[in-house]
Amino acid sequence: MRTSARTTTTGAVSVALVAGTALGLAPTAAATPTGPPGIRFADITGDGGTVLKANVVTPADSDGSRRYPVIVLPTSWSMPQIEYLAQARKLADSGYVVVSYNSRGFWQSGGHIEVAGPPDVADASKVIDWALANTPADPERIGMAGVSYGAGISLLAAGHDKRIKAVVAMSGWADLIDSIYSGRTQHLQAAAMLGGTGYLTGRPSPELQQTLKDFLASNLDKEEEMIAWGAKRSPAFALDRINANGAAIMLGNAWGDTIFPPNQYASFYEKLTGPKRLEFRPGDHATAEATGLLGLPNDTWTNAHRWFDHHLKGADNGIDREQPVQLKSRSTSGYEGYPDWKSVGATERKIALADARKVYANVDSGANGGAIMLSNVLDQFLKLPPMASIPLLPRSFAAVWQSERYDSVQRVRGTAKLHTTVTSTESSGTLVAYLYDVGPLGVGKLVSNAPYTFHGKTPGRPFAVDLELFSTAYDVPAGHRLALVVDTVDPLYIEHNPSGARLTFSSPSSDPSYVSVPLREK
C-alpha cells in the first residue's frame, strides 16, 4: 500500500505540474512550500545569476543526521522540469538525493538556449553547489545523468567538475558535428526538429539563431565557424579533461537514433580510460529510455541505477564484472556482451561493387532512411524498418549491387564501410548509401544508411570515397542477400547536387570498390 500510495501521489503531482507548466505557471519554492513527502520545488541560481527551476527529491528517512549520494539531472531539450520525476522518486526511495533542473533557456528557467555551451556546463556546477548547501548531499558521492540534452551536459560537466564521480548519458552525443553533420551533410530533419521545438519551448540565443540559419542555408562560408561552435559543445573534444577527472561513465543509445547516430558514441567510448559501459538497443532518439521516464520497467534505467549503486554506494551488484559492451540486436531479444567495441564486428565480409554505375541526381529513387522519430520506432516495436523493392528501384537514379544468397544467418554487428570511386559532372554533390536485407521477393529492409557530401572537386576527375554507415545490429536470415544502393536524395538530409548532375561509381582494378560488412563471430 505504501508503494502504491507513493506512485499515485507522484502521478498526481506530475499531472499538476504538467498543467502548471503548460499555463506558464512554474512552481517555485515560495509558491509551493509543501508537496508529497520528500518532494519540493526550488529556484537555483545558475551561472551569471540565471534562475533555474528545479525539483528536489530526498529519501523519506532523511532527518538531517546523515548524508546521501546525490544525482543531478539536467532536462532534455524542450522537456519541462517534471521529466525525471518518476525516476527521481525511485532513486530517492533507494537512498539518493535527486536534483532535477530545467536547462537554461527552456520553459520557466531563465537565460537563453546555449546548446550545452559554457553557461550550461557552469550551471551544472552551480546546481551541485546548491545541492551541497541545501540538501543532505554527500560531497564525495556526486553523480549526473540525463537523456539527450541532459546527457550531453552531464558528459561535458564531467570534464569540468572533478566532484562528479559517475555519469549515465542516455541518447546523447559525444560529437555534435558528427551527429548532425556527418559525411559533411546537414541532417535536415534532425536540425529542423531541434530548432523548431527550441523556438516553441524556449528562447534560442542569438548565436544559436544565427548558427541554425547558416546551417540550414548551407552557408559554406561559415562552415569552419559552425564546426568550431559544435566542437566547443562536444564531449569528444573535452576527452582529455574527462579522462583526467576519471568519472565512471555509462553510455546508452539506440541503433536508429536519427538525431545522435550511434557511431560517434562508440568512438568516444573506446577512448575513455576510466570505468565505462556502453549499451545499444533498437529504437530511435530517446525511445529506449522513454518508458522509464513514465516509471515503467526499463532496462536502460535499471542499469543506470545499478551503475550509480556500484560507483557511488560501493554496492557489489556485479555490474563491474559484466562485459562492458552490451548490445541488443534489432532482430532478436536478449543481450550480447563484448569486452570492447572492437570485438563487436570481429569478422568482416566484403561485397565487391564491380562494374560501373551511372546515376542522375536530384531524383529520389525510392530508397531512403525513413522519417525521423517514426521509422525506427516502427522497427523497434514491430520490426518494420524502411523498405524498398530492390528490383523496382529505377537504375537511372539508383546504383544497385547485390551479394549472393546466404546459406546461413548473417549477424551484422557494428559499422559497415563503403569504399568506392566517384566521378561527378559537377564540383559539388551528395550521395546516400543504403544497406538492405533483401528477401526472396526482392523486398529490401533497411539495415543501415549514411550520407556523403563533397565540394570543390574537379568535374570529370575520379576521387575516392570512404564512408562509414551508421552502426547497427541486425540479423539477415538464411536465404536472403544484402544489397548496397546509392542514390542522391533523401528527405532526412540536405542534398547539394546541382540540377542535371550525374554521378558515376566505378571500381578501378588498382583500387576496387566494396562494402565491408562486420559480422558477429559464430
Side-chain angles (χ1 to χ4, degrees):
M1 288 296 292
R2 186 172 176 229
T3 302
S4 177
R6 277 185 182 166
T7 303
T8 303
T9 304
T10 302
V13 171
S14 299
V15 172
L17 285 173
V18 170
T21 303
L23 294 172
L25 303 173
T28 66
T32 312
T34 62
I39 300 178
R40 63 189 175 105
F41 312 115
D43 289 350
I44 298 176
T45 302
D47 185 58
T50 297
V51 175
L52 307 172
K53 298 295 183 178
N55 300 325
V56 185
V57 189
T58 53
D61 61 357
S62 175
D63 58 7
S65 63
R66 56 175 291 199
R67 290 193 173 271
Y68 302 85
V70 59
I71 307 295
V72 174
L73 301 166
T75 54
S76 303
W77 185 271
S78 290
M79 291 295 287
Q81 69 188 82
I82 63 162
E83 177 184 11
Y84 302 113
L85 190 57
Q87 285 300 322
R89 280 293 341 195
K90 289 178 180 288
L91 285 164
D93 286 346
S94 61
Y96 291 90
V97 170
V98 185
V99 181
S100 172
Y101 69 95
N102 231 135
S103 303
R104 68 167 50 224
F106 287 105
W107 297 92
Q108 281 74 44
S109 281
H112 292 88
I113 302 171
E114 303 289 349
V115 194
D120 292 295
V121 179
D123 282 345
S125 291
K126 292 287 188 180
V127 173
I128 291 172
D129 292 342
W130 184 93
L132 295 177
N134 294 276
T135 74
D138 185 340
E140 300 300 320
R141 296 186 291 169
I142 297 170
M144 284 194 70
V147 175
S148 185
Y149 195 47
I153 292 173
S154 296
L155 287 172
L156 288 164
H160 175 78
D161 196 321
K162 294 181 178 180
R163 296 174 296 179
I164 299 169
K165 305 301 183 187
V167 170
V168 176
M170 297 168 273
S171 289
W173 74 93
D175 189 332
L176 192 58
I177 304 156
D178 197 37
S179 293
I180 61 173
Y181 195 50
S182 71
R184 209 179 177 187
T185 308
Q186 296 95 328
H187 292 212
L188 173 62
Q189 291 185 18
M193 191 189 83
L194 291 171
T197 55
Y199 276 100
L200 283 172
T201 61
R203 299 165 300 283
S205 67
E207 184 181 28
L208 172 56
Q209 294 180 46
Q210 186 61 50
T211 300
L212 272 173
K213 180 180 177 181
D214 292 335
F215 184 81
L216 293 173
S218 305
N219 187 348
L220 288 178
D221 291 338
K222 294 292 186 72
E223 185 179 35
E224 288 188 10
E225 186 177 319
M226 287 187 284
I227 288 174
W229 178 88
K232 187 186 295 185
R233 291 157 170 81
S234 296
F237 289 84
L239 183 67
D240 289 345
R241 296 195 301 275
I242 292 171
N243 282 335
N245 288 349
I249 294 176
M250 172 180 153
L251 305 172
N253 205 353
W255 292 120
D257 194 320
T258 43
I259 297 180
F260 303 129
N263 302 45
Q264 42 90 36
Y265 241 23
S267 176
F268 178 69
Y269 169 83
E270 283 289 270
K271 297 170 186 173
L272 290 171
T273 57
K276 59 184 180 178
R277 182 179 176 93
L278 176 67
E279 300 182 354
F280 283 135
R281 300 175 176 84
D284 206 313
H285 184 65
T287 63
E289 303 86 21
T291 55
L293 293 174
L294 300 174
L296 300 174
N298 180 277
D299 290 352
T300 310
W301 281 102
T302 295
N303 287 337
H305 287 234
R306 294 175 64 221
W307 189 252
F308 285 132
D309 286 348
H310 179 72
H311 291 286
L312 297 182
K313 290 183 176 181
D316 184 14
N317 55 19
I319 197 166
D320 58 317
R321 295 187 293 275
E322 296 173 359
Q323 296 276 38
V325 175
Q326 294 286 323
L327 313 180
K328 180 182 278 189
S329 169
R330 291 162 50 198
S331 307
T332 59
S333 59
Y335 288 89
E336 304 166 1
Y338 299 85
D340 51 39
W341 177 250
K342 291 179 292 186
S343 301
V344 171
T347 302
E348 198 174 78
R349 181 189 290 266
K350 286 187 177 181
I351 300 171
L353 308 181
D355 303 326
R357 304 279 196 276
K358 180 185 293 185
V359 299
Y360 292 87
N362 310 115
V363 175
D364 189 343
S365 69
N368 64 67
I372 188 172
M373 298 303 297
L374 174 61
S375 299
N376 290 312
V377 172
L378 292 175
D379 183 40
Q380 177 183 0
F381 293 107
L382 301 177
K383 291 184 170 50
L384 290 175
M387 298 183 190
S389 174
I390 305 304
L392 295 181
L393 290 175
R395 273 29 180 194
S396 296
F397 308 115
V400 181
W401 298 266
Q402 296 192 72
S403 73
E404 74 282 3
R405 295 187 192 278
Y406 298 116
D407 294 331
S408 60
V409 175
Q410 304 294 297
R411 295 179 174 86
V412 179
R413 300 289 186 275
T415 309
K417 299 174 183 177
L418 167 66
H419 174 76
T420 190
T421 296
V422 177
T423 306
S424 175
T425 59
E426 303 290 341
S427 60
S428 294
T430 296
L431 59 94
V432 186
Y434 309 89
L435 188 65
Y436 283 100
D437 158 26
V438 185
L441 299 180
V443 175
K445 294 184 177 181
L446 187 65
V447 177
S448 185
N449 78 101
Y452 181 91
T453 293
F454 58 89
H455 298 287
K457 299 297 183 182
T458 301
R461 178 179 296 177
F463 60 94
V465 168
D466 287 286
L467 175 63
E468 287 192 350
L469 277 62
F470 300 137
S471 304
T472 194
Y474 182 96
D475 295 353
V476 179
H480 287 212
R481 64 180 74 197
L482 284 167
L484 182 81
V485 177
V486 183
D487 72 2
T488 61
V489 176
D490 191 307
L492 286 173
Y493 313 113
I494 291 178
E495 52 95 5
H496 297 263
N497 297 296
S499 179
R502 298 186 305 279
L503 300 180
T504 300
F505 301 93
S506 58
S507 182
S509 58
S510 59
D511 185 20
S513 296
Y514 61 86
V515 59
S516 173
V517 181
L519 300 174
R520 178 187 174 189
E521 290 183 332
K522 297 288 188 275

